[in-house]
Amino acid sequence: MRQSEPFTKEAKGRWNKIPKSAQTKILNNVFCGKCLSSVPIVLDTAKMQRADVILRGKCKICGHEVCRLVEPETNAKS
């Protein structure tokens, strides 16, 4: 049972701008230093740090603490 919303207001606003399919990929591909592979995250907190969203939680496989940085999309020129 989740105790509270893991996203701060600012982080939630930024996260909601990311397409749902990309959100799923991000949450299912967090590097775990113990498993030494990409794993799903059990999300504890999501906060803004400058322009980045920082996702913190635990590895769904082994429970080790993991973190994922989500950088803002940049407007690349063709």
Side-chain angles (χ1 to χ4, degrees):
M1 182 169 77
R2 183 178 287 176
Q3 292 181 4
S4 64
E5 170 65 41
F7 286 86
T8 62
K9 183 179 178 182
E10 295 80 12
K12 186 68 171 177
R14 170 80 166 70
W15 182 252
N16 286 339
K17 293 179 181 177
I18 299 170
K20 296 288 183 200
S21 61
Q23 289 177 3
T24 300
K25 284 182 182 180
I26 291 166
L27 294 173
N28 285 321
N29 292 287
V30 177
F31 185 79
C32 175
K34 189 171 181 183
C35 294
L36 299 177
S37 65
S38 291
V39 298
I41 186 174
V42 177
L43 190 60
D44 288 330
T45 64
K47 299 178 181 178
M48 292 298 295
Q49 184 174 341
R50 295 189 175 91
D52 305 323
V53 177
I54 307 295
L55 305 175
R56 294 187 184 276
K58 298 195 176 18
C59 168
K60 191 170 184 178
I61 308 299
C62 74
H64 188 74
E65 288 186 20
V66 294
C67 179
R68 174 78 189 245
L69 172 93
V70 183
E71 296 176 302
E73 186 177 75
T74 58
N75 294 329
K77 293 182 181 179
S78 300

